[in-house]
Structure formats: structure tokens, C-alpha cells
Amino acid sequence: MKTLFITCAAVLNISFAQEYGMMDQDDMEHDNDKRRQRMESMMVWRLTEELELKPEQAEKFFPRYREHRNNLDEIRDQERDIGKTLRARLKGESLDKSEVTAAVKKITILRKKQADVEEKFILGMDKLLDAVQMTKLGMFKQKMMREMGGEMKKRGNKRKKMKKMNRQRGKRGFWN
């Protein structure tokens, strides 16, 4: 009976593992798109709340905000591509200093461009937002990242506590 149970469990595990392994790239991209849409919705909600946008302001603000996000995404994609290229070269071949120097300079240029895009966006809101709203907009990203970091830290602490509790339970025995 035990052998039959173990065999069935092994077959099920293998079939689930194969099914997961055969998951299409499209499915994974679809999941990423869902995650990105949820994140975008949350950002819109948080920005609306943080900036206390009036409906007429929101109608004008969010199309410009989406365009701004797309511009930043393009810059980040370029930076990511440089990193991928360097990582691939590290695995297969050796790098010389001139390639590293060129990559660092390209990334530095992209980061400066990113800062310029941020500045242009925030200062370009002067006719739509008041000074307080512009200030909150400028600090929104840092505040959001800090809050997300706090949430991640809380989750990490909960996991540590659970692991510790499980270890202690294991020492005492589950049924004791």
C-alpha cells in the first residue's frame, strides 16, 4: 500500500513538474502583464490619493504620466540590455577594460537621461498642479519605494518567525 501511494505521488509530482516546465513563454508574459496592470492600477490610485487630484486634473495628468512611464521604461530596457550583454560576455568570453568602460559610460548617460526625463515631467506639471502637488509628485517615488521596502521587510520578518517556530516545533515534536 505504501509503495502504491509513493508511486502515485511520484507520478503526480513528475506530471505537475512537466506541466509547469512546459508552460509557454506567453503564459509567463501574460502573468507579468497582469502583475504590471495591477501595479499600474495601484500607482494610479495612490497618486490620485497622494496628490489629491481633482477629476479634471486627473484627466489631464494620467495620460502624461503614462507617457512619462513609457519613456522611463524604454531607458530602463536599454540599461537592462547593456547588463544582459555584459553578463553573457562574462559567461562565454573575457571582457577587456575598454568594453567595461564603454558600458559604464552608456549606463551613466542613460541614468542622466532618466534624471532629465524626471525633471522635465515634474516641472512640466506647473500649469496643471500647484506647488504642493508638484512637491508630493517629486517625492512620491521615494515614498512608494520606502513603503514597499517596509512591506518586504515585514514579510521577511514573518517568514523568519515562521521558520523559527517550525524549527522549535520540530524539536518538541508536532503532537506533543
Side-chain angles (χ1 to χ4, degrees), residues 57-70:
Q57 283 179 309
E59 285 177 20
K60 294 176 185 173
F61 176 80
F62 285 109
R64 290 167 70 180
Y65 175 73
R66 285 186 189 92
E67 181 183 340
H68 169 67
R69 294 273 302 197
N70 290 337

Side-chain angles (χ1 to χ4, degrees), residues 89-114:
R89 294 288 308 267
L90 277 175
K91 289 180 182 177
E93 306 169 19
S94 63
L95 290 169
D96 60 2
K97 286 185 179 182
S98 64
E99 291 173 308
V100 174
T101 303
V104 169
K105 286 183 179 184
K106 286 179 187 175
I107 290 173
T108 302
I109 290 169
L110 289 172
R111 289 184 180 169
K112 287 178 183 176
K113 184 178 178 182
Q114 185 175 358

Side-chain angles (χ1 to χ4, degrees), residues 11-164:
V11 169
L12 286 173
N13 278 338
I14 291 170
S15 65
F16 284 128
Q18 287 177 345
E19 183 178 321
Y20 181 75
M22 295 173 65
M23 185 184 255
D24 280 326
Q25 185 71 21
D26 293 339
D27 291 341
M28 292 171 69
E29 287 177 11
H30 181 69
D31 289 344
N32 287 339
D33 287 341
K34 279 183 176 179
R35 186 178 298 123
R36 192 174 295 125
Q37 287 174 349
R38 282 195 313 263
M39 189 69 162
E40 182 74 24
S41 296
M42 187 178 79
M43 292 289 281
V44 167
W45 171 71
R46 294 287 303 266
L47 266 170
T48 304
E49 185 178 89
E50 181 73 22
L51 301 179
E52 299 173 4
L53 292 174
K54 298 174 185 133
E56 36 311 323
Q57 283 179 309
E59 285 177 20
K60 294 176 185 173
F61 176 80
F62 285 109
R64 290 167 70 180
Y65 175 73
R66 285 186 189 92
E67 181 183 340
H68 169 67
R69 294 273 302 197
N70 290 337
N71 292 338
L72 291 178
D73 287 344
E74 288 174 17
I75 294 169
R76 284 190 203 105
D77 289 343
Q78 292 172 5
E79 192 174 334
R80 203 172 295 120
D81 289 343
I82 293 169
K84 284 180 185 177
T85 303
L86 285 176
R87 277 190 290 283
R89 294 288 308 267
L90 277 175
K91 289 180 182 177
E93 306 169 19
S94 63
L95 290 169
D96 60 2
K97 286 185 179 182
S98 64
E99 291 173 308
V100 174
T101 303
V104 169
K105 286 183 179 184
K106 286 179 187 175
I107 290 173
T108 302
I109 290 169
L110 289 172
R111 289 184 180 169
K112 287 178 183 176
K113 184 178 178 182
Q114 185 175 358
D116 291 342
V117 167
E118 289 277 355
E119 176 188 13
K120 183 179 177 184
F121 173 69
I122 293 170
L123 295 179
M125 291 288 145
D126 65 335
K127 293 187 174 105
L128 183 62
L129 304 176
D130 62 32
V132 173
Q133 289 172 319
M134 286 176 61
T135 304
K136 287 180 180 181
L137 177 61
M139 295 186 308
F140 178 77
K141 184 177 179 181
Q142 289 83 6
K143 181 179 180 182
M144 187 77 171
M145 295 303 268
R146 190 172 48 248
E147 288 175 5
M148 287 172 56
E151 288 297 318
M152 297 298 278
K153 194 172 184 178
K154 283 180 188 176
R155 288 182 187 172
N157 288 340
K158 284 182 183 178
R159 285 185 184 144
K160 286 179 185 176
K161 286 178 184 177
M162 290 301 291
K163 284 182 182 180
K164 185 177 179 181

